[in-house]
Amino acid sequence: MSRWEPGTADRLRLAALELFVERGYDATTVDDIVARVGVTQRTFFRHFADKEEVLFDEDAVMQDILLDGAQAYLHQHDPGPGRGLAAARAATAALARSFENERERNRARWNVLAHIPALHGRQLVKQDRWCAALQHTLVDNGVPPAEAPVAVAVAASALALAYSQWVTADRPRRLLPLLTAADAQFDSIL
Amino acid sequence: MSRWEPGTADRLRLAALELFVERGYDATTVDDIVARVGVTQRTFFRHFADKEEVLFDEDAVMQDILLDGAQAYLHQHDPGPGRGLAAARAATAALARSFENERERNRARWNVLAHIPALHGRQLVKQDRWCAALQHTLVDNGVPPAEAPVAVAVAASALALAYSQWVTADRPRRLLPLLTAADAQFDSIL
DNA sequence: TGCATGATGTCAGTTACTGACGCAACACGT
DNA sequence: ACGTGTTGCGTCAGTAACTGACATCATGCA
């Protein structure tokens, strides 16, 4: 038996989300969270850079999914018109697929984030970073530099639209069809 | 002569921006700012909800410009295909025109915001609110509810793209032509 | 003259976060 | 078995952001 229970970070994440849902983000202090887990505040801040990070530090994976999705497409298709947008859409579709079975967790998260501007902002910054990285991937694989930001913006906007419909829907729905529909909406507007 | 110098909020805004540029946002404390102006910390927090707000509280005007731009267009054009996008673009163009003579201030601001994720996030939240408000305006004026979010997303993405080119350019440029070019980029991708 | 108002100051808190240091288990190489 | 480094945590003292309660005092109006 070890000196401490293992998985401290995971237990902190769990306790934090529980408390945020129970009494709200602002009304939950870091002391509350660490008390529930049985560690000190210092331990919390060793695992997470700040109080917000406890909700965001697992998202590094998603950027990989996004970029892999784009590269898979780019390696299978030769340069040509529309390749940038198609690759960006392949990336968002890959990300959407990875979300597909986690609707409830995404809903809980959305309910916390939506009401706290600072958290919402952090989410948007994260998405902004994804877009920048995706843009780089496109350019590195032969998409014209002028086309890349536009393609990424269109694909990302469609994903954001589909995602918000997905998490706010009353009855369970599938994300990928919503994304496909959103993509089509963007096509049809011009 | 009054008891205190007038325009406290303005002098705080000015001192804050100066200090943020001189030594950086994180290295500047609220005590530094109020010391330069000659008031107490409590006064600062009566004018601004938090330290970040000193950089953002003047932006309420811009939403009005955006919405007025959209309504002016909508009142002059009857329903028809492409009306939503055109109205959203009229709105972003109006906003761009209001920026046109403030390039240096926008550059200074950009240099502060770009390096502090929390500030960047606040900017993105603000833009998100603008988009939501613009969307409402479009729908209230007869744009189909399915078209509005797409039109707004496309117009907003173009503005973001043009704005970033504008503030990061070495030599002075005009924002409106950049926006027009960005709009054209979005048109040409589909 | 009297009195309400508004912008500020004072003071004593709470909460988020950090640096420096110490301690005890584990994971090794010898 | 023995040292030795590393890892995960605790303790403590401190800074900075922010808040509530209350005092102060010029201004303007009754």
Side-chain angles (χ1 to χ4, degrees), chain A residues 3-4 8 40 43 46-47:
Chain A
R3 186 173 178 194
W4 297 280
T8 306
T40 60
T43 294
R46 259 192 283 261
H47 285 283

Side-chain angles (χ1 to χ4, degrees), chain A residues 26 28 38 48 53 56 62 145 152 165:
Chain A
D26 285 334
T28 304
F48 310 102
E53 187 71 8
F56 289 97
M62 299 182 188
V152 169
Q165 293 170 344

Side-chain angles (χ1 to χ4, degrees), chain A:
Chain A
M1 170 178 170
S2 59
R3 186 173 178 194
W4 297 280
E5 300 294 319
T8 306
D10 267 338
R11 282 180 296 134
L12 283 170
R13 267 186 283 266
L14 179 63
L17 187 57
E18 284 173 4
L19 286 165
F20 292 162
V21 169
E22 286 172 22
R23 30 181 125 155
Y25 179 83
D26 285 334
T28 304
T29 70
V30 173
D31 281 333
D32 293 337
I33 301 170
V34 300
R36 177 165 294 199
V37 173
V39 296
T40 60
Q41 214 191 51
R42 199 71 188 80
T43 294
F44 181 94
F45 287 111
R46 259 192 283 261
H47 285 283
F48 310 102
D50 52 55
K51 183 182 166 187
E52 298 177 358
E53 187 71 8
V54 76
L55 286 169
F56 289 97
D57 78 315
E58 275 183 322
D59 292 346
V61 197
M62 299 182 188
Q63 178 163 322
D64 296 338
I65 296 174
L66 199 66
L67 267 46
D68 288 348
Q71 283 198 326
Y73 182 93
L74 290 162
H75 290 162
Q76 287 169 13
H77 296 78
D78 290 333
R83 182 167 168 259
L85 181 57
R89 282 177 170 169
T92 55
L95 193 57
R97 265 188 294 273
S98 80
F99 283 179
E100 203 64 85
N101 293 318
E102 310 251 11
R103 184 164 177 269
E104 276 318 307
R105 228 182 93 230
N106 276 278
R107 275 173 65 87
R109 198 191 156 83
W110 176 275
N111 286 331
V112 176
L113 297 198
H115 299 95
I116 309 289
L119 297 177
H120 187 194
R122 194 134 172 172
Q123 174 88 352
L124 293 175
V125 168
K126 202 186 60 190
Q127 291 169 9
D128 210 57
R129 296 237 169 85
W130 291 354
C131 288
L134 184 53
Q135 220 174 294
H136 258 103
T137 300
L138 295 190
V139 173
D140 288 348
N141 288 83
V143 173
E147 182 185 343
V150 179
V152 169
V154 170
S157 299
L159 179 61
L161 182 58
Y163 183 84
S164 76
Q165 293 170 344
W166 185 56
V167 291
T168 58
D170 293 331
R171 62 184 180 83
R173 307 185 62 174
R174 298 207 21 245
L175 176 55
L176 203 53
L178 287 169
L179 176 58
T180 307
D183 282 336
Q185 283 279 343
F186 278 81
D187 284 336
S188 71
I189 204 182
L190 304 178

Side-chain angles (χ1 to χ4, degrees), chain B residues 11-31:
Chain B
R11 283 180 296 133
L12 284 169
R13 268 186 283 266
L14 180 62
L17 187 57
E18 284 174 4
L19 285 165
F20 292 163
V21 169
E22 285 174 21
R23 27 181 127 156
Y25 179 82
D26 286 334
T28 304
T29 70
V30 173
D31 280 334

